[in-house]
Amino acid sequence: MNIRFAALSVTVTALVGTLMGQDKSGKTLDMYFLDAEGGQAVLYVSPSGESLLIDTGSGGGRDTDRIMDAVNTAGLKQIDHLIVSHYHLDHIGGLEELSKRIPIRHFIDHGATGEHTPGIDNALKTYAVLYSAAKHTVAKPGDRIPMAGMNVDVVTSGTQVLRTPLKGAPGAGRPNPACPAFHARDESLVDPDNKYSVGVVITYGKFRTINLADFTYNAEPDLMCPNNPIGTIDLYLTSHHGLEQSGSAVLVHALRPRVAVMHNSTRKGGDVATMQILHTSPGLEDIWQLHWAYAAGLELNSPGLFVANVEDKETMASVLVNPPPTFGQLRAAGRGAGAPPAGAAGAAGRGRGGHTGPAFYIKASASADGTFTVTNTRNNFSKTYAASK
């Protein structure tokens, strides 16, 4: 009996040790790509429970509600770090309301604005009051935002870019073969503060992801040429909502992402040029979209499994027969700057982004061994990606 008991004790002890090891190794970096309908709001929750929010979407309470839903799902009591990537109202507009709902401990931004409008100037007055009562950092390329168990490296800020390759990053420092073929685009309609965006690379173990906010197409060679200082990544959040104003082959093809998540709305993002660059990116497996993009049409949108928000049948039929104007078309016609266009024509015109249904988000969870799972919360479809070799 004693021998059997001893053997049982050893077995139980070994099993408990194995389970404890699995619990520890099973902790994930969780990423919530929220539906800000053409703005940005992305929540990152580290394996230790520390939080980083990048941008707050637009004002009016809608995007704040969506952020708080994710905050509550993640069980957070505060936002430990908030990056205000730049000062356009589809990125900073929800800040004042959010600050009333949850404590924000650390504000991070690019410093002085590159653009003055009444909306931006008013938002900055409110922002200055908020960060004066908390920790405030003006980010510079090469900085690292302190988060336990993971690295958050600043690679762009205030029009400046990272010059030194990230240590230990796969492929960092190698020549970028896409540079010689780069051709600048007309950026006369690009709002100036976009190129000031704070951009970061987030690393958890072997998993790597990037968020460059609205960093612009013509500025991307400054970061990525002649050598690539970032290396390869696993998950790419499409720059600038998937508009053709960002996301050149110099950037995307050099990063060689396994997966892209497009932070678009129905009419803002999913531009044909952007989708073509994504679809031809070496090693890209899937594109996950916050919305079915009108600009991409039937050929270039991802299959429905990978799209978080789709229109009702009547609206979709109207869109296919009579496509409404896209964000780029509205901008060319002189509509406002730095925010989703106000209602469009036809059945697709309901709401600022033209979306007619409830809001769903895309969630990604990454393990330290480099495996990660992406989930569409509209249909609960998930796909797990093996670690990069």
Side-chain angles (χ1 to χ4, degrees):
M1 293 291 293
N2 290 339
I3 295 175
R4 290 180 179 177
F5 180 77
L8 179 62
S9 296
V10 171
T11 301
V12 170
T13 300
L15 178 61
V16 170
T18 300
L19 291 174
M20 290 179 66
Q22 288 176 345
D23 286 343
K24 184 176 181 180
S25 65
K27 292 182 178 179
T28 57
L29 164 64
D30 294 329
M31 296 154 275
Y32 301 82
F33 302 96
L34 305 174
D35 179 20
E37 303 210 23
Q40 175 168 252
V42 186
L43 177 65
Y44 302 84
V45 182
S46 76
S48 64
E50 197 170 356
S51 58
L52 166 67
L53 178 66
I54 300 184
D55 292 334
T56 61
S58 299
R62 177 200 68 189
D63 294 347
T64 304
D65 290 343
R66 296 173 184 182
I67 293 169
M68 289 306 301
D69 284 345
V71 162
N72 293 331
T73 297
L76 303 177
K77 301 302 181 184
Q78 65 183 32
I79 299 297
D80 296 297
H81 310 278
L82 170 63
I83 294 177
V84 177
S85 69
H86 62 297
Y87 306 130
H88 288 155
L89 299 185
D90 55 334
H91 292 255
I92 195 176
L95 176 57
E96 182 177 11
E97 178 63 25
L98 182 67
S99 69
K100 298 174 183 177
R101 307 261 196 111
I102 189 169
I104 303 170
R105 302 303 184 192
H106 182 197
F107 293 89
I108 303 158
D109 57 59
H110 65 63
T113 183
E115 178 182 349
H116 289 281
T117 67
I120 289 175
D121 291 343
N122 288 333
L124 287 176
K125 290 177 183 177
T126 300
Y127 178 43
V129 173
L130 293 174
Y131 71 63
S132 67
K135 182 179 179 181
H136 175 227
T137 300
V138 175
K140 295 179 176 59
D143 288 352
R144 178 168 288 178
I145 298 167
M147 291 187 72
M150 55 187 282
N151 296 337
V152 182
D153 292 298
V154 178
V155 297
T156 65
S157 182
T159 74
Q160 302 302 303
V161 300
L162 183 71
R163 296 298 182 188
T164 305
L166 292 175
K167 291 182 179 180
R174 294 178 183 171
N176 184 346
C179 292
F182 178 83
H183 294 285
R185 289 180 174 170
D186 177 10
E187 291 196 346
S188 60
L189 292 177
V190 176
D191 301 316
D193 207 51
N194 287 320
K195 64 182 179 181
Y196 285 71
S197 291
V198 177
V200 295
V201 172
I202 299 173
T203 305
Y204 172 48
K206 295 181 179 180
F207 174 82
R208 308 182 76 232
T209 185
I210 190 168
N211 185 330
L212 296 179
D214 287 4
F215 194 64
T216 62
Y217 190 99
N218 286 355
E220 289 167 354
D222 296 338
L223 173 65
M224 301 298 292
C225 293
N227 298 326
N228 170 8
I230 294 171
T232 58
I233 56 140
D234 298 291
L235 190 154
Y236 165 58
L237 178 67
T238 56
S239 298
H240 213 159
H241 322 288
L243 291 168
E244 64 177 10
Q245 296 171 358
S246 302
S248 67
V250 156
L251 174 71
V252 179
H253 290 193
L255 294 176
R256 298 180 68 92
R258 306 270 308 286
V259 168
V261 174
M262 184 171 291
H263 214 282
N264 64 313
S265 70
T266 52
R267 293 189 309 278
K268 188 175 181 182
D271 290 355
V272 168
T274 297
M275 298 300 282
Q276 289 174 336
I277 288 170
L278 287 171
H279 282 292
T280 58
S281 182
L284 187 76
E285 298 179 40
D286 294 306
I287 303 169
W288 298 71
Q289 299 173 212
L290 264 294
H291 284 267
W292 199 90
Y294 296 169
L298 288 175
E299 275 69 28
L300 293 174
N301 271 286
S302 294
L305 282 174
F306 297 87
V307 181
N309 297 284
V310 296
E311 306 291 18
D312 57 67
K313 294 179 180 179
E314 292 77 12
T315 299
M316 185 63 74
S318 177
V319 167
L320 293 174
V321 175
N322 301 298
T326 64
F327 179 80
Q329 291 168 333
L330 291 170
R331 285 297 309 277
R335 289 284 181 91
R350 194 175 115 190
R352 294 177 63 176
H355 177 48
T356 57
F360 296 97
Y361 60 87
I362 292 170
K363 181 181 179 183
S365 296
S367 299
D369 66 3
T371 61
F372 62 103
T373 299
V374 184
T375 301
N376 179 353
T377 61
R378 175 178 64 84
N379 52 20
N380 292 319
F381 171 71
S382 292
K383 184 173 178 179
T384 297
Y385 300 86
S388 298
K389 297 180 180 180

